[in-house]
Amino acid sequence: MAEQGYPDQPISLVVPFAAGGPTDTIARIIAPPMAKALGQPIKIENISGGGGTTGITEASLAKPDGYTIMIGHMGTHGAAPALFRTLKYDPARTFDPIGLAAGTPVVIVARKDFPASDLKSFVEALQKKGSTYSQAHAGVGSVSHSTGMLFDSIVNVKPTFVVYRGTGPAMNDLISGQVDFLTDQIVNVVPHLQAGTIRAYAIATPERSPALPGVPTTREAGLPSFEVSAWNAVFAPKNLPKDVHARLVDALDKALDDPTVRERLLKLGGRIPAGSERGPVALQKLVESEVARWTPALSAAVEEQ
Ligand code: MLT
């Protein structure tokens, strides 16, 4: 049964990273139209730490009444199980999936004055004996950490990791030149590339992004083995009342059809889920396949560390 008149109070949307990064950006794009569909405000609550696993763990323990939901991603619900021995949730069992919110291609970006003009010379610089470059990431298990580790293992480099509570703050340090590079979700890099405050070497997808037409794919740039894409999705603590679950699924679906949401996501290079990719069944399948995909890939990369 639905809670009486759900929702009759504001809903909390937990973002497990610092404000200003990709997860936060996507949450803030989908929240207003979801709130409109539900008839109640949605408040964003940033609970960062542990590569996103702190906020997701905390949100997973909330009452399953539809008043606490969360936005997870390829890291928290795909890569994290391979990297944490004592993860306090199971991405495929601890949640009621609501639906995929966006696909987010991964881009290799560096500080504006990094001394390399293309991906090949960038990799050569990292590989140079005695090089001391730094690589930002948003904590163990995050997208920037897991895809960054994969990149490092493919090109056989060991930069110094600098850990942030999200790639929002990491991007600030990239812009000011305090850190050298990272692999980040497209929605966080497009505005800075357009402003010319950072540089991009490649996008790790088979096709170029219409949001970054001048950035070559890793395949074009000579590194076809580094092809990864990330995603963000909405989850709730397990055992929501059926009607509450259905309201949230419907609200996300309506948000994804909202012209403003579509325009904002597309401008930032986000991919809007097609009909067949939407909803809880498709998200459950995605989570299961991502855990199966990342576990062997990351276990190998971790062994090389
Ligand atoms: C990540 O690296 O997992 C995310 O981009 C972090 C964030 O959303 O800030």
Side-chain angles (χ1 to χ4, degrees):
M1 281 291 292
E3 303 271 306
Q4 194 78 38
Y6 173 84
D8 63 3
Q9 53 177 290
I11 294 163
S12 226
L13 173 57
V14 173
V15 170
F17 292 101
T23 312
D24 184 71
T25 298
I26 291 169
R28 286 174 201 274
I29 291 175
I30 61 166
M34 279 187 80
K36 191 172 166 210
L38 290 162
Q40 282 289 340
I42 295 184
K43 299 175 302 179
I44 306 284
E45 219 187 313
N46 296 87
I47 306 177
S48 60
T53 62
T54 304
I56 295 296
T57 302
E58 204 169 311
S60 75
L61 299 173
K63 202 170 162 205
D65 56 6
Y67 291 104
T68 303
I69 55 176
M70 70 207 87
I71 181 157
H73 68 359
M74 183 226 92
T76 57
H77 286 74
L83 297 168
F84 287 91
R85 265 195 212 104
T86 55
L87 195 61
K88 293 202 177 72
Y89 60 84
D90 177 338
R93 288 166 185 263
T94 311
F95 308 92
D96 277 350
I98 305 299
L100 184 63
T104 52
V106 169
V107 188
I108 305 167
V109 289
R111 62 180 156 84
K112 192 180 168 211
D113 56 355
F114 194 97
S117 56
D118 56 17
L119 183 64
K120 188 168 172 287
S121 45
F122 172 64
V123 169
E124 282 166 4
L126 297 181
Q127 289 170 334
K128 207 163 173 202
K129 202 162 180 263
S131 79
T132 53
Y133 291 113
S134 56
Q135 178 177 11
H137 70 71
V140 171
S142 62
V143 168
S144 44
H145 175 252
S146 42
T147 60
M149 235 175 37
L150 198 62
F151 172 77
D152 295 347
S153 103
I154 290 170
V155 302
N156 195 24
V157 296
K158 286 193 186 351
T160 306
F161 280 148
V162 184
V163 188
Y164 294 84
R165 296 181 87 82
T167 54
M171 192 55 69
N172 293 339
D173 277 5
L174 192 72
I175 292 166
S176 63
Q178 290 179 60
V179 68
D180 292 310
F181 77 101
L182 81 154
T183 54
D184 199 5
Q185 287 157 267
I186 192 165
V187 296
N188 200 35
V189 307
V190 164
H192 307 295
L193 285 169
Q194 283 168 348
T197 51
I198 59 172
R199 66 188 309 168
Y201 288 116
I203 182 165
T205 43
E207 308 284 333
R208 289 190 184 203
S209 167
L212 295 177
V215 175
T217 66
T218 43
R219 211 176 278 200
E220 288 172 322
L223 194 65
S225 49
F226 185 63
E227 255 176 25
V228 281
S229 54
W231 46 269
N232 281 86
V234 180
F235 299 85
K238 201 166 185 68
N239 293 325
L240 288 181
K242 268 204 173 71
D243 298 9
V244 171
H245 190 218
R247 290 283 321 263
L248 288 166
V249 171
D250 174 67
L252 177 57
D253 205 43
K254 287 201 167 91
L256 294 177
D257 285 333
D258 181 291
T260 312
V261 168
R262 297 178 75 86
E263 195 196 321
R264 290 181 71 191
L265 279 177
L266 290 175
K267 255 195 187 151
L268 294 172
R271 211 175 54 74
I272 295 156
S276 60
E277 297 172 295
R278 294 192 193 180
V281 176
L283 179 53
Q284 180 67 28
K285 276 200 193 126
L286 175 67
V287 168
E288 287 169 12
S289 68
E290 286 287 88
V291 172
R293 176 165 84 104
W294 281 101
T295 302
L298 287 176
S299 305
V302 169
E303 271 163 30
E304 286 166 21
Q305 287 283 301

